[in-house]
Amino acid sequence: MTTNVLAGQVALITGGGRGLGRAFALGLAKAGMSVAVVARTPAQVDETAQIIRDSGGQAQAFTADISNPGAVAETIAMVERTLGPIDLLVNNAGASGPLGPSWEADPNDWWNCLEVNLRGTFLCCHAVLPGMIARGRGRIVNVASGAGTLAIPYMSAYVTSKSAVIRFTETLAAEVRQHGVQVFSIEPGTVRTEMAEKLIGTEVGRRWLPWFESIFAEGRDQSSEPGTQLVVFLASGAGDRLSGRFWIVPENPNEVASRAEDILRDDLYVLRVRRL
């Protein structure tokens, strides 16, 4: 059913050259969507697009820095000329930021993490939303992290950026709901991506986040499949009732969607300050 719903629609995935972004692109293409793969490294996006085409799907590769407003606007225009109006935007491109005490971090490195994770997400939303609003339909999936709901020492840039993405998602969803557009943030699970390998395999990662490696050693990590299934599920419209909410792997999205009334009544899956 999902394949029929998504057939002929267009998806744009940032950070689509490798890891989760590539998995999302392949999953959406398999579900019938034409896919625009965007990242900074030409060889990687070309490879992702070629894998999709070799499997019988439709995909085009685009090289862009999503923290650059001009590059984002130009890329969105090129995608729409090439593949057509964008039905789904997946903001997946991300940076881990510097590790260590905040007062020892290089300010430029710290801010660059927000430039990619938050500004990049905003810029892509800013570029696709006029078209979505004009058409009265569209969906956006912002890849956040459970780190955005916690205070994780020595990872302040990443935590701050992902918290902001979750809150931006809820705010944006409230703004565009009347226009037929839905926005979601997701936690795709802890997956052995290049970013994860960096945290595990470097001295700075082992020093400041020594607990992180145990997630993989104890088998508490996820494959990319549950996150991909979640993105396809949200793309299909099955989760529209819970636009603005934070969806979490490994929870079953069908079960979460079936509890929409309870979630809305109790204000669940959102960031809130609990008061006395």
Side-chain angles (χ1 to χ4, degrees), residues 220-239:
R220 292 183 285 121
D221 57 311
Q222 299 283 334
S223 73
S224 61
E225 185 59 26
T228 301
Q229 291 177 353
L230 176 57
V231 170
V232 173
F233 176 86
L234 295 173
S236 75

Side-chain angles (χ1 to χ4, degrees), residues 143-236:
V143 179
S145 169
T149 68
L150 303 168
I152 302 179
Y154 313 124
M155 206 177 189
S156 63
Y158 186 78
V159 167
T160 299
S161 68
K162 292 302 186 179
S163 296
V165 167
I166 295 170
R167 178 51 98 197
F168 172 61
T169 297
E170 185 186 2
T171 302
L172 185 61
E175 293 177 353
V176 300
R177 186 173 290 114
Q178 63 179 316
H179 301 291
V181 179
Q182 288 77 40
V183 192
F184 314 92
S185 58
I186 69 169
E187 152 64 286
T190 301
V191 180
R192 191 180 282 271
T193 60
E194 184 174 303
M195 185 183 297
E197 293 286 0
K198 177 182 176 182
L199 297 179
I200 294 171
T202 62
E203 180 180 348
V204 68
R206 290 190 295 268
R207 178 183 181 187
W208 297 113
L209 301 177
W211 50 268
F212 189 69
E213 187 174 8
S214 67
I215 295 175
F216 300 93
E218 297 170 7
R220 292 183 285 121
D221 57 311
Q222 299 283 334
S223 73
S224 61
E225 185 59 26
T228 301
Q229 291 177 353
L230 176 57
V231 170
V232 173
F233 176 86
L234 295 173
S236 75

Side-chain angles (χ1 to χ4, degrees), residues 88-146:
L88 173 71
L89 166 65
V90 181
N91 281 307
N92 170 73
S96 61
L99 302 180
S102 296
W103 59 93
E104 294 181 3
D106 181 290
N108 291 325
D109 290 345
W110 197 97
W111 192 251
N112 180 68
C113 181
L114 273 76
E115 288 279 340
V116 176
N117 296 350
L118 179 58
R119 190 181 195 219
T121 294
F122 166 78
L123 289 174
C124 291
C125 290
H126 188 268
V128 302
L129 276 170
M132 289 183 173
I133 289 170
R135 294 186 294 273
R137 60 182 175 83
R139 295 183 179 91
I140 297 172
V141 176
N142 295 325
V143 179
S145 169

